[in-house]
Amino acid sequence: MSAARKVFSVWQLVHHLLVKSVVERPGTAAVVGQGIPGKQGSWLRVRDRLRLEYGATTFDNWLKNIDVASLVGDALVLKAPSRFTRDWVAPRYGDRIRALWRLEDPSVNTVDFIVSESKLEQAEHSEQQPDSSGFVRAAPARGAVSSATEELAPLLDPKLTFGNFVVGKPNEFAHAAARRVGESDDVPFNPLFIYGGVGLGKTHLMQGIAWRLRQKHPGRRVIYLSAEKFMYRFIRALRFKNIMSFKELLRSADVLMIDDVQFMDGKDATQEEFFHTFNALVDQGHQIVVSGDRSPADLEGMEERMRSRLGCGLVAEVHATSYELRLGILQAKAEGYAGSKVPDKVLEFLAHKITSNVRELEGALNRLVAHSTLVGRPLTLDSAQEVLHDLLRAHNRRVTIEEIQRRVADYFNIRVAEMSSARRAQMVARPRQVAMFLTKQLTSRSLPEIGRKFGNRDHTTVMHAIKKVDQLCKADSAFGEDVELLRRMLES
Ligand code: ADP
Ligand code: MG
């Protein structure tokens, strides 16, 4: 990293803190959004949480432009910049937003979405903004995508290069595979499928490949898209009736990268399109790189033929981080901060305490450095503990599905085994639904994952359970109190 870049990134952090939170008194904790009372402050904190949980790409694509419209009584209304965004965000992220908001303010019961009127026209018809993870248009045109005039250039994050990727045991295989694709003049394995948990470096590796290819072969067309973006573009193309040019566009790629393919579950037409594109590119000998949060065989929302196609190249897992890897990543990052010296003790403390994923680890370090820059005092172990107290507390409090199942079963006096049994008698089905509901609220598990943990049930069953419990809580106050009590018990 150049000196200019280092200074810039610290400055960015400071700026971030200054605009997003009030400057606190020296010695108190710096928490983004803290100090801002009322609904705007709550929303800032919920947004930060969403960014952490879903990652920057998803956040920037869908959640960044959501804002609070009103909060009246127990009803929170959020506004989305377009109908499309609203229809996308409400069913996917609505529950989580509600759960996070209730941590701020338990009196909120409903979260609804509206479309902000002024932006309706413009958002529905323009595609001028560059995607954070996809195509950039040379000249904005209304609606239609014309492959002839469209300039393809993935907008890549300059930080996500191989040079900035720290290699350790948990990721060495995935890294070697990615390197190989980036360095090769031909197609070493097709597709390369990289999978692993949230925030473990999948996107980093994919963008690393894209950067390397751009350096080595500037003439090659690299298309990098998140699966969400892929679907978004596909649905748009359908709506504006230019599906042919969308197809041509994809098939003109020398290298096609699809990030977070698990989001493509259940969307039949999109999967179909992806399948055909996939086959066409493989037939032409063009490279495909795909990432997902689980192995191809476990992508249960995918059609069998797609799963087997995805698994037929090289499948590389990025494993959960080890202490050594976390420390290595922190050391590499800490070197990037020009002015502030981060003591080894602090780095070791972070590597011990924050084990979930690298994104949170980076976030914690950023916060510490920003804080010490702001208050003008060196970083110490004590100040680190103070500044991060909320994060560390949240970490200690993280509940598991098993714990939720056990507590809920206890509470309703049924056996834990009933949580995954096939029995549908109400006396076991209702507690099971409550446990699913609480799992959705208190963990970041996806609906299919929850279904699997509850006796291999379908994600639609989980969705139904959540709705049902939600309705019952409103209709029956005693039941609502039970659920609320359980939630508090699990959270404390
Ligand atoms: P994923 O796509 O798996 O959810 P990302 O690639 O977005 O995760 O990584 C999350 C953050 O952690 C990014 O800022 C990335 O640069 C960083 N990161 C992850 N693994 C490493 C690593 N091995 N070395 C350096 N940074 C890493
Ligand atoms: Mg990612």
Side-chain angles (χ1 to χ4, degrees):
M1 257 189 227
S2 70
R5 174 132 199 101
K6 284 175 205 162
V7 172
F8 183 59
S9 57
V10 170
W11 190 86
Q12 269 181 320
L13 279 170
V14 173
H15 178 75
H16 179 76
L17 269 189
L18 282 175
V19 293
K20 292 198 93 182
S21 70
V22 293
V23 185
E24 359 42 287
R25 279 171 287 116
T28 61
V31 178
V32 173
Q34 183 157 314
I36 301 182
K39 55 182 197 270
Q40 282 311 335
S42 298
W43 182 229
L44 284 180
R45 287 183 291 272
V46 170
R47 277 167 56 101
D48 278 337
R49 201 62 229 173
L50 291 169
R51 190 189 286 111
L52 271 181
E53 289 184 8
Y54 293 107
T57 312
T58 302
F59 181 83
D60 288 347
N61 285 345
W62 302 108
L63 301 165
K64 194 170 69 186
N65 295 322
I66 306 283
D67 221 335
V68 178
S70 67
L71 174 59
V72 180
D74 68 351
L76 173 69
V77 180
L78 297 173
K79 58 174 187 264
S82 68
R83 200 172 294 148
F84 189 83
T85 306
R86 182 200 58 192
D87 294 348
W88 185 271
V89 168
R92 288 175 180 78
Y93 306 107
D95 281 349
R96 191 61 194 151
I97 292 176
R98 177 170 171 277
L100 290 173
W101 196 286
R102 282 172 63 91
L103 294 178
E104 293 282 328
D105 174 4
S107 68
V108 165
N109 257 324
T110 62
V111 175
D112 287 311
F113 291 82
I114 57 166
V115 179
S116 54
E117 288 305 323
S118 56
K119 293 199 193 132
L120 194 63
E121 260 302 290
Q122 165 199 344
E124 290 285 282
H125 294 296
S126 97
E127 283 198 69
Q128 303 177 358
Q129 293 152 330
D131 306 336
S132 63
S133 63
F135 307 105
V136 183
R137 324 177 53 87
R142 274 174 65 95
V145 179
S146 141
S147 65
T149 59
E150 182 150 50
E151 184 170 306
L152 283 176
L155 243 197
L156 302 174
D157 185 331
K159 291 193 300 292
L160 303 184
T161 60
F162 283 138
N164 288 336
F165 192 83
V166 179
V167 185
K169 262 237 145 354
N171 60 24
E172 66 182 358
F173 182 64
H175 171 260
R179 275 264 178 186
R180 188 70 203 285
V181 170
E183 303 291 347
S184 281
D185 292 323
D186 55 358
V187 175
F189 12 75
N190 220 359
L192 169 60
F193 190 99
I194 302 175
Y195 78 96
V198 175
L200 296 181
K202 302 182 296 294
T203 298
H204 193 143
L205 285 175
M206 291 182 96
Q207 297 215 358
I209 297 175
W211 277 115
R212 189 69 191 114
L213 287 172
R214 184 184 277 187
Q215 235 174 16
K216 271 193 78 151
H217 308 280
R220 278 206 211 167
R221 268 193 169 176
V222 179
I223 298 184
Y224 168 88
L225 282 171
S226 65
E228 291 184 312
K229 208 68 174 187
F230 182 93
M231 291 191 291
Y232 177 84
R233 301 292 299 218
F234 178 66
I235 295 166
R236 274 205 96 91
L238 279 179
R239 193 197 301 166
F240 290 107
K241 303 202 173 17
N242 45 29
I243 197 73
M244 280 320 288
S245 43
F246 180 69
K247 278 183 208 272
E248 277 168 26
L249 193 67
L250 288 173
R251 285 167 204 192
S252 72
D254 295 306
V255 182
L256 176 67
M257 302 193 186
I258 301 290
D259 203 354
D260 284 326
V261 77
Q262 73 274 7
F263 288 119
M264 231 183 247
D265 62 348
K267 317 286 174 323
D268 299 337
T270 328
Q271 264 192 43
E272 182 86 16
E273 186 53 43
F274 180 49
F275 185 71
H276 292 308
T277 306
F278 189 102
N279 290 337
L281 289 173
V282 171
D283 285 348
Q284 293 166 48
H286 295 179
Q287 178 75 54
I288 296 179
V289 183
V290 179
S291 83
D293 69 348
R294 59 202 97 144
S295 76
D298 288 334
L299 287 166
E300 65 286 288
M302 284 261 165
E303 284 177 47
E304 177 51 37
R305 56 178 188 169
M306 191 69 237
R307 270 187 273 170
S308 73
R309 276 304 225 161
L310 287 171
C312 71
L314 184 73
V315 177
E317 181 173 1
V318 187
H319 298 273
T321 56
S322 59
Y323 172 77
E324 288 73 27
L325 179 59
R326 290 195 295 277
L327 191 60
I329 292 171
L330 286 169
Q331 282 163 343
K333 275 218 73 129
E335 278 169 24
Y337 294 123
S340 9
K341 173 94 187 75
V342 187
D344 290 341
K345 277 266 165 291
V346 172
L347 298 181
E348 285 161 18
F349 171 73
L350 289 179
H352 263 302
K353 286 289 179 182
I354 300 179
T355 53
S356 50
N357 70 55
V358 181
R359 190 174 293 124
E360 292 209 15
L361 201 60
E362 284 184 337
L365 183 62
N366 285 346
R367 238 163 85 179
L368 291 183
V369 172
H371 183 266
S372 107
T373 313
L374 269 178
V375 302
R377 274 207 315 261
L379 244 168
T380 63
L381 198 52
D382 279 347
S383 69
Q385 284 177 347
E386 212 176 284
V387 172
L388 297 178
H389 75 277
D390 63 321
L391 193 80
L392 297 171
R393 207 179 51 219
H395 253 264
N396 294 337
R397 212 180 46 204
R398 194 151 289 175
V399 283
T400 62
I401 295 195
E402 288 72 22
E403 202 179 332
I404 296 174
Q405 292 180 330
R406 195 166 39 75
R407 288 282 196 117
V408 175
D410 270 1
Y411 190 87
F412 290 103
N413 235 331
I414 62 171
R415 290 183 311 127
V416 186
E418 299 290 8
M419 288 290 160
S420 32
S421 78
R423 278 182 67 197
R424 295 164 72 171
Q426 187 159 326
M427 65 161 297
V428 294
R430 190 71 80 223
R432 193 186 295 132
Q433 289 176 326
V434 169
M436 290 185 195
F437 174 86
L438 288 169
T439 305
K440 183 69 191 146
Q441 277 208 329
L442 301 175
T443 72
S444 49
R445 300 305 187 101
S446 67
L447 297 177
E449 276 177 301
I450 298 174
R452 246 179 298 143
K453 292 276 191 172
F454 282 83
N456 260 329
R457 290 182 155 77
D458 193 68
H459 74 277
T460 52
T461 309
V462 182
M463 220 147 70
H464 171 77
I466 294 169
K467 266 209 196 101
K468 185 80 204 165
V469 173
D470 206 33
Q471 283 164 359
L472 280 174
C473 284
K474 284 177 200 145
D476 174 351
S477 62
F479 180 81
E481 275 162 28
D482 282 345
V483 174
E484 183 59 26
L485 189 69
L486 272 165
R487 189 174 70 81
R488 291 216 189 123
M489 269 164 38
L490 285 161
E491 266 179 355
S492 60

